Amino acid sequence: MGFLKEISVPGKKQAIERPRWLVLRTGWLSLRVDKRVPNVLLLLALTTLAVMVWSVGQGEYPVPPLDVVRTVVGLPTDNADYVFVVNTLRLPRTLVAWGVGMALAIAGTITQGITRNPLASPGIIGVNAGAALAAVSLIVVFPSVPISLLPLAAFSGAFTVAILIYLIAWNGGSAPVRLILVGIGFSLVAGALTELMVTFGNIYDVSQALVWLAGSVYGRSWAQVVSFTPWLVVFGLLSLLLSRELNALQLGDDIAQGLGSRLEWQRGWLLLCSVALAGSAVATAGSIGFVGLMSPHIARQLVGPSHEGLLPVAALTGGLVVVAADLIGRLLFAPIELPCGIVTAVIGAPYFLYLLLRARK
Amino acid sequence: MLSLGMLLGIVFLLMCLAASMALGVADIGPGEVYRALAASDGSTEHLIIRTVRLPRSLTALLVGSAVAVAGAIMQGLTRNPLADPGILGINAGAAFAVVMGVFFFNTASLSLYAGFALVGAAVAAVSVYGLGSLGRGGLTPLNLTIAGAALTALVSSLTTAILILSQRTLEEIRFWLAGSVAGRDMALVMQVLPYLAVGLVLGLALGKQLTTLSLGESVAQGLGQNTLWIKGAAAVSVVLLAGGSVAIAGPIGFVGLIVPHIVRFWAGADYRWILPYAALTGAIVLLLADIAARLVIQPQELPVGIMMPIIGAPFFVYLVKSRVKR
């Protein structure tokens, strides 16, 4: 690939925007990203930081923004309670929101890439339905089981269903259309079984299960941050390394094979990343919808369709969206909290329609 | 051949209807069922049949054919094999309207649910149509599906929001939300029957036009069809059928998606045959599913809306595996 940048397709547009790419190349790694990527990343990171500080300051016990920053960094403030409120209660919650948003966005970008379908979201590979079924069964059927096992159950549910879908859709190869359709079928069955729990369970357990189903970061602590971070780091980085393959897969199976992509292996690895990221996110915070769908589209508008740059930008966008959604959900009906999954859906659906309208012009 | 099949189908449907009235926690022989309907002597068994099983079986029959025909029309109209009232947001709209009704007006009567459900279904259908035609290229199958998916996601998360905010609403509504044909009385069936009947007649009358339309919009226009009118009439029929059936039975998924595909195995691509066969098959499928839902965990029962995906999804997956090559 080393000489590819010199062979540019001749054309006026190319000539005017000559230096469009930034190329990073070491012995074994080569990344080529759009020139806009660093600035966009910086901007997103700063915005996220600002929203996080605001979010941590808000609540029944308000903390001024400057004191939030001082407390987090470890400088003394004039109120000793701040340490507990900020560092123990609110910071981990916001961090979980951020991490979950990033994971969902990366998973969404990958899913849209491998299925070549701009409407695909991690939900399509059955992750949400599987996790929901496992978690709701745990809450409703075994209320005595400690709640700390919930993420584990959700994660194994997500993984089992995703693998089942992949195996059943396999028919001498994993055609994306079959993957989507089998995924829909499985999600419907898991949905029906979840509905069964909701219909016959104890009403108090069902209420709890609904909050979990809607996707919420309420009451998340450092324990969740610690258990979630390795998944995000390992599979996030792996996805970044594989992102170049997504560009080839995007062109269709035949062309990708022609370009020398080991199609099924690449798709399998990418799918694994996507399932691991979405599964751990759903296990941590329930099924927060629309983030995996929205973020890649926003990112594509910001930095174009090449996946090396798209993936990190989408990740930061997703993080920002969930952090903001959590903040909005807490502020809107102040004493009552809306789960952030509902906020993302209410924002996400109109955005979806906006995409439709924009396509018309 | 196909008309002979139709006849056989009707005979089978009648057998299912009889079975649905005879089977249950209290097993009642077919002879007794006939006597209860022809000349009731007021015994407990006859009362069970006339007030519980008859309305229930009729509900299953009506809802099954309504949903299946609605699904078939939508698939023809949108040229999308995955279209059904559930996927295009009509069930979600109706469910949302009912949940709103329970939340704000504190009603718990099934006949009030029916009113809300019809309005909700109509509003949802009109919005999906409107939003779908905003996209590039107007009312294409893809745009319609996208609009439906977006509306479903939005509306069902609002429904969840209400259910989280108000536990009372959740308690009252959750059995209805699962979709069931149990406990419906004759008055309710009669109340919704006109909508379903008009929708069914209108839908069946559109068979020829739908066949043409399913070849593609420009082909249909080239053949001299006024596609706008046909689409409008089909939409009215879908709203009546889907809204009416949600009104009696709650959101019942899968029948509308699956039945048209089964029917195409023998009826081909001609909607003049697909639609009546879908009506027949839909009724049979829902009756059988309801019998199964009554018998699997006696003396408890499952809502038939939950049974359907569990029975139907394996079949759907099989269809996908055998039919979708690429």
Side-chain angles (χ1 to χ4, degrees):
Chain A
M1 294 289 270
F3 49 85
L4 226 153
K5 70 172 170 174
E6 276 88 51
I7 315 171
S8 53
V9 183
K12 276 183 203 150
K13 222 173 174 188
Q14 211 96 21
I16 296 164
E17 307 169 21
R18 187 73 186 105
R20 267 189 68 198
W21 305 100
L22 289 176
V23 182
L24 168 77
R25 198 158 289 151
T26 64
W28 55 279
L29 176 76
S30 141
L31 277 181
R32 189 195 66 163
V33 296
D34 194 285
K35 217 175 165 230
R36 289 167 288 183
V37 169
N39 291 335
V40 170
L41 281 179
L42 192 68
L43 194 69
L44 280 171
L46 289 179
T47 318
T48 310
L49 212 60
V51 176
M52 275 170 128
V53 168
W54 183 19
S55 171
V56 169
Q58 289 294 328
E60 215 161 299
Y61 192 107
V63 181
L66 200 65
D67 284 346
V68 170
V69 178
R70 290 178 69 96
T71 315
V72 172
V73 180
L75 293 174
T77 50
D78 36 335
N79 190 331
D81 291 345
Y82 285 172
V83 178
F84 175 71
V85 172
V86 171
N87 283 351
T88 312
L89 293 181
R90 297 200 189 142
L91 188 60
R93 172 182 181 147
T94 310
L95 287 179
V96 164
W98 187 53
V100 162
M102 288 204 288
L104 287 173
I106 298 176
T109 314
I110 297 178
T111 328
Q112 293 182 1
I114 45 185
T115 56
R116 292 192 287 277
N117 187 334
L119 306 177
S121 67
I124 259 179
I125 41 178
V127 175
N128 291 350
L133 178 58
V136 173
S137 313
L138 193 75
I139 296 176
V140 172
V141 183
F142 307 105
S144 55
V145 172
I147 205 78
S148 56
L149 282 182
L150 196 65
L152 193 67
F155 188 71
S156 27
F159 235 95
T160 315
V161 171
I163 287 173
L164 271 178
I165 289 175
Y166 186 71
L167 289 182
I168 289 184
W170 183 274
N171 202 349
S174 58
V177 180
R178 231 175 14 241
L179 209 59
I180 294 179
L181 293 179
V182 173
I184 289 178
F186 262 81
S187 303
L188 284 170
V189 180
L193 292 173
T194 309
E195 185 78 44
L196 187 68
M197 311 281 171
V198 169
T199 309
F200 288 108
N202 175 316
I203 189 83
Y204 175 72
D205 297 334
V206 169
S207 280
Q208 278 214 312
L210 276 182
V211 173
W212 190 89
L213 274 179
S216 158
V217 287
Y218 173 78
R220 300 302 188 269
S221 66
W222 285 108
Q224 271 95 8
V225 178
V226 170
S227 64
F228 178 63
T229 309
W231 292 96
L232 180 59
V233 171
V234 171
F235 287 99
L237 287 179
L238 189 57
S239 317
L240 207 57
L241 288 179
L242 288 167
S243 59
R244 210 173 59 184
E245 308 301 335
L246 276 174
N247 293 336
L249 287 179
Q250 192 92 54
L251 300 171
D253 285 3
D254 297 336
I255 296 181
Q257 249 159 354
L259 285 174
S261 186
R262 292 165 72 205
L263 193 68
E264 296 298 349
W265 277 106
Q266 311 287 15
R267 189 145 58 203
W269 275 110
L270 281 162
L271 205 62
L272 178 74
C273 286
S274 166
V275 171
L277 285 168
S280 55
V282 175
T284 313
S287 45
I288 299 177
F290 272 97
V291 179
L293 190 74
M294 249 191 314
S295 314
H297 285 284
I298 301 179
R300 225 168 273 139
Q301 269 183 296
L302 291 174
V303 296
S306 177
H307 279 87
E308 294 96 327
L310 183 64
L311 213 65
V313 172
L316 284 193
T317 311
L320 177 59
V321 166
V322 178
V323 170
D326 181 43
L327 178 63
I328 295 171
R330 282 191 295 153
L331 292 183
L332 213 53
F333 298 99
I336 303 176
E337 262 185 31
L338 273 187
C340 60
I342 288 180
V343 179
T344 55
V346 173
I347 303 172
Y351 180 76
F352 214 64
L353 297 171
Y354 158 76
L355 283 180
L356 269 181
L357 271 176
R358 200 178 47 116
R360 194 185 188 185
K361 280 176 199 152
Chain B
M1 254 334 264
L2 282 170
S3 24
L4 190 69
M6 204 76 204
L7 211 62
L8 282 177
I10 291 174
V11 172
F12 188 61
L13 175 65
L14 289 176
M15 279 161 60
C16 292
L17 198 60
S20 167
M21 291 210 255
L23 296 172
V25 175
D27 273 328
I28 299 168
E32 203 66 25
V33 172
Y34 174 75
R35 272 191 294 283
L37 294 179
S40 168
D41 60 8
S43 70
T44 321
E45 287 175 344
H46 287 193
L47 270 180
I48 289 179
I49 286 177
R50 289 183 76 106
T51 60
V52 179
R53 297 230 179 120
L54 181 64
R56 179 179 186 156
S57 307
L58 283 182
T59 308
L61 186 146
L62 284 172
V63 169
S65 32
V67 176
V69 171
I73 294 178
M74 289 172 117
Q75 290 173 9
L77 198 61
T78 62
R79 293 189 293 286
N80 178 346
L82 288 177
D84 90 328
I87 288 171
L88 290 197
I90 293 181
N91 283 356
F96 179 59
V98 171
V99 169
M100 289 269 278
V102 175
F103 181 61
F104 285 114
F105 303 109
N106 207 356
T107 66
S109 89
L110 280 176
S111 59
L112 270 170
Y113 287 5
F116 282 114
L118 266 176
V119 174
V123 171
V126 171
S127 335
V128 168
Y129 246 66
L131 294 171
S133 39
L134 287 179
R136 194 211 311 256
L139 198 60
T140 62
L142 183 65
N143 284 342
L144 203 59
T145 317
I146 297 172
L151 193 80
T152 307
L154 174 66
V155 160
S156 53
S157 69
L158 288 175
T159 307
T160 313
I162 292 183
L163 294 182
I164 287 174
L165 293 176
S166 156
Q167 207 175 58
R168 175 186 61 77
T169 311
L170 170 64
E171 187 129 38
E172 268 168 27
I173 207 76
R174 58 181 175 155
F175 285 95
W176 183 85
L177 271 182
S180 165
V181 293
R184 272 61 181 163
D185 62 11
M186 217 50 197
L188 185 67
V189 177
M190 284 307 158
Q191 192 189 341
V192 184
L193 187 62
Y195 300 109
L196 294 181
V198 172
L200 217 52
V201 170
L202 184 59
L204 291 178
L206 286 173
K208 191 174 151 201
Q209 284 81 356
L210 270 179
T211 313
T212 319
L213 197 57
S214 66
L215 297 174
E217 179 126 17
S218 44
V219 177
Q221 272 166 351
L223 289 172
Q225 194 179 78
N226 187 340
T227 51
L228 203 64
W229 271 102
I230 303 302
K231 281 181 177 175
V236 170
S237 160
V238 165
V239 168
L240 288 173
L241 290 170
S245 53
V246 178
I248 347 182
I252 288 187
F254 239 84
V255 182
L257 181 67
I258 292 293
V259 167
H261 288 290
I262 306 179
V263 166
R264 287 201 187 93
F265 276 129
W266 58 82
D270 186 347
Y271 278 85
R272 280 172 300 180
W273 285 110
I274 292 180
L275 291 176
Y277 265 115
L280 200 61
T281 316
I284 293 175
V285 165
L286 205 62
L287 271 172
L288 288 179
D290 183 47
I291 295 174
R294 256 181 275 170
L295 297 181
V296 275
I297 46 165
Q298 282 190 32
Q300 283 272 347
E301 339 189 308
L302 287 174
V304 72
I306 289 176
M307 276 306 275
M308 265 330 291
I310 299 175
I311 306 173
F315 180 75
F316 177 70
V317 169
Y318 161 75
L319 265 186
V320 168
K321 242 189 111 103
S322 59
R323 287 279 198 83
V324 181
K325 290 295 169 226
R326 196 69 191 152

